[in-house]
Amino acid sequence: AHLKLLQAQLEPHMLFNTLANLRVLIATDAPRAEQMLDHLIAYLRATLAGSRSGTHSLASEFALLADYLALMQIRMGDRLTYSLTLPADLAGLPVPPLLLQPLVENSIRHGLEPQLADGHIAVHASMLDDSHLLLSVHDNGLGLPALPEQPPSGSGFGLQQIRERLASRYGGAARFDLTADSAGGTR
């Protein structure tokens, strides 16, 4: 029940942002608005299906990200590129729905939107060993604040929600790390 509550709190945030952007596009660029609406419908359809169970496949999670990133790319244009790397042998692994989307949303909001150009997000799945899955979201945005006593921008709801969902589902077997990349951006 706690996991479902956390997931339900996250979904309206993304939905309201997307609807606000869609409203602007309807008046200024109808073909892009239609593309955005198509991706939103696919995203919502997959999200609703995922919310009916405690997990879905990693392939479904990456499909959600593809639709979400396509929505954001319509909004940001050439300022956003992305890559999604999911090895075929990992596609069927179960993960909590909407586990990675808040990380991608934070990458865009706090790392890439403040930049004027050349924003890139890379999402990767790999195995660390026979029993540990590594999911990585990396952006080339502004990065984390320089002073360690300052909490990173975006360390609020979305990141806390991920920590709580991982702890509730996996206990000490899961870990969430937010780090500054030495080349810039956040991982």
Side-chain angles (χ1 to χ4, degrees):
H2 184 64
L3 289 171
K4 290 227 182 258
L5 176 62
L6 290 169
Q7 182 178 338
Q9 290 171 334
L10 177 66
E11 290 169 6
H13 177 70
M14 178 270 179
L15 181 59
F16 292 137
N17 288 343
T18 302
L19 289 173
N21 287 308
L22 184 58
R23 187 170 197 270
V24 170
L25 278 180
I26 288 171
T28 61
D29 190 342
R32 282 180 56 210
E34 187 175 338
Q35 285 180 328
M36 184 177 247
L37 188 57
D38 289 344
H39 286 292
L40 179 60
I41 290 167
Y43 179 84
L44 291 174
R45 184 174 288 124
T47 301
L48 289 174
S51 69
R52 293 187 178 111
S53 67
T55 62
H56 67 177
S57 71
L58 197 51
S60 295
E61 184 74 4
F62 270 64
L64 280 170
L65 290 178
D67 282 318
Y68 177 78
L69 285 163
L71 285 168
M72 296 302 102
Q73 195 170 48
I74 290 168
R75 192 184 74 179
M76 294 176 69
D78 293 340
R79 293 178 49 214
L80 174 63
T81 61
Y82 62 90
S83 61
L84 302 171
T85 306
L86 175 60
D89 59 330
L90 303 181
L93 292 178
V95 295
L98 292 174
L99 182 65
L100 297 174
Q101 188 272 339
L103 298 174
V104 171
E105 185 174 351
N106 276 351
S107 288
I108 291 171
R109 183 173 177 210
H110 301 291
L112 302 182
E113 280 185 337
Q115 293 184 157
L116 296 178
D118 299 327
H120 184 76
I121 294 176
V123 182
H124 297 276
S126 61
M127 293 300 291
L128 285 175
D129 55 39
D130 289 339
S131 61
H132 291 93
L133 175 66
L134 173 64
L135 299 173
S136 170
V137 176
H138 177 252
D139 69 67
N140 67 344
L142 295 180
L144 298 173
L147 299 175
E149 63 271 5
Q150 291 180 330
S153 180
S155 63
F157 175 73
L159 300 182
Q160 185 59 33
Q161 190 255 10
I162 290 170
R163 286 182 181 98
E164 289 179 21
R165 290 176 72 203
L166 289 173
S168 292
R169 180 169 303 279
Y170 303 109
R175 189 176 86 213
F176 173 72
D177 296 316
L178 180 67
T179 59
D181 190 13
S182 60
T186 304
R187 184 177 301 273

